[in-house]
Amino acid sequence: MGFSNVIAQQRVKAMLSGAIKSGAIAHAYCFYGEEGIGKDALAIALAQILNCNNPISFSDGTVDSCGKCKNCLDINRLEHPNLMFITALPAGKSTAKHEDSPLLQLSEENLALYKEEISLKAEDPYHSIFLPNAQTIRIASIRDIKKQVKMTATQGGRRVFILSQAERMNMEAANAFLKTLEEPHDNITFILTTSKKDALPQTILSRCQQVYCDILPQTDLAHALIDKHGMSITEAQLIQAFAQGSYGRALAFMNEDIQ
């Protein structure tokens, strides 16, 4: 993964690289911008670089992960103990216990669907996770974050908690998460990603370093479609014209065309 696999976003990569090199990684970030431009991809890449055993520095001042060490490979699979990826989940089973982790509260069917979606996200960080009836990030997920934060880290590096589509936190979850944000934590970074920043409580935003992520330049978007999907130049240019700077939107157009 790493920054090298994130389409465009040079400005954001340069800013984050500077923070990494100067040891000034924020306690919390909010990556915001249009849908499908790589906010989750940037968050996962940052987590990988912060935990890489052999990070690489380039002459332009940017840094990246090696992509080969065990930490890099585990984060690529979204299976590293220093990475927690939080997303909206369906309601749990009626028999679920209050103290159970949110995944243990899911039905077997929903748990299988969740694992499948996470696997797709690991293969392609631009994949938009879809789970039926998963509209909100629930209080159970925030309780799980609080529990993980209090636990001693099992290894070195920096623990990263990514809240994808963070605006989906319901009021109860947002209030609980705010309390977690207000507490100081060593070697922990929270990254909220959202295409609806204004839907997040101002109290949460004020405690995050807000990072605007750009729409993708037409040339970069077309090259990504050619490189990743084997499109012809003509096809790529046609789709990127409709995508309006969003790789996610380009994939949707591409899939409609295929079907």
Side-chain angles (χ1 to χ4, degrees):
M1 181 55 205
F3 284 160
S4 59
N5 286 333
V6 177
I7 305 165
Q9 302 298 347
Q10 266 65 36
R11 179 184 56 80
V12 178
K13 292 175 187 176
M15 183 273 289
L16 293 174
S17 292
I20 293 166
K21 292 171 77 172
S22 62
I25 289 296
H27 163 63
Y29 290 101
C30 176
F31 291 174
Y32 70 98
E34 296 290 325
E35 289 187 15
I37 57 173
K39 300 180 295 293
D40 283 355
L42 277 166
I44 295 167
L46 179 58
Q48 190 181 60
I49 296 166
L50 292 173
N51 287 282
C52 178
N53 291 331
N54 306 293
I56 304 165
S57 292
F58 296 100
S59 58
D60 65 357
T62 58
V63 296
D64 208 347
S65 56
C66 72
K68 298 176 182 177
C69 68
K70 186 176 187 303
N71 286 346
C72 281
L73 295 174
D74 286 349
I75 287 178
N76 242 9
R77 292 191 291 267
L78 303 181
E79 293 176 352
H80 195 283
N82 279 1
L83 175 65
M84 188 171 179
F85 189 88
I86 300 97
T87 189
L89 295 172
K93 298 174 290 190
S94 58
T95 56
K97 297 178 182 177
H98 174 80
E99 64 273 14
D100 285 346
S101 78
L103 295 184
L104 287 177
Q105 294 182 24
L106 295 179
S107 67
E108 288 185 15
E109 180 184 1
N110 282 335
L111 181 59
L113 287 171
Y114 169 81
K115 288 180 177 179
E116 184 179 334
E117 286 294 301
I118 285 293
S119 177
L120 291 170
K121 188 73 170 179
E123 289 175 20
D124 180 5
Y126 288 84
H127 172 70
S128 181
I129 289 177
F130 174 76
L131 294 165
N133 303 312
Q135 300 300 321
T136 59
I137 295 176
R138 301 171 187 277
I139 185 67
S141 294
I142 305 304
R143 289 196 189 106
D144 201 31
I145 291 174
K146 293 167 79 75
K147 187 189 302 181
Q148 296 298 325
V149 164
K150 290 177 182 176
M151 292 175 66
T152 304
T154 57
Q155 59 186 80
R158 191 174 189 91
R159 287 191 283 170
V160 178
F161 294 79
I162 301 171
L163 281 78
S164 180
Q165 294 182 299
E167 77 282 353
R168 291 190 170 196
M169 280 188 286
N170 61 26
M171 189 58 68
E172 187 183 18
N175 288 337
F177 182 64
L178 176 61
K179 293 176 182 175
T180 300
L181 272 184
E182 289 172 335
E183 300 165 1
H185 304 290
D186 292 333
N187 292 321
I188 287 177
T189 289
F190 300 99
I191 306 176
L192 288 67
T193 69
T194 181
S195 57
K196 299 175 181 176
K197 181 169 74 90
D198 292 343
L200 279 165
Q202 189 57 41
T203 47
I204 286 178
L205 288 173
S206 66
R207 287 162 176 80
C208 299
Q209 182 174 331
Q210 298 174 41
V211 179
Y212 175 69
C213 301
D214 303 296
I215 62 170
L216 307 180
Q218 292 183 348
T219 303
D220 292 300
L221 181 51
H223 283 162
L225 293 172
I226 293 166
D227 294 342
K228 294 176 181 290
H229 302 282
M231 283 190 182
S232 69
I233 294 174
T234 303
E235 287 175 317
Q237 288 177 337
L238 179 63
I239 286 182
Q240 66 85 13
F242 287 101
Q244 297 177 304
S246 167
Y247 180 70
R249 201 174 291 128
L251 292 183
F253 279 119
M254 185 180 76
N255 290 335
E256 283 178 14
D257 187 50
I258 289 171
Q259 292 166 2

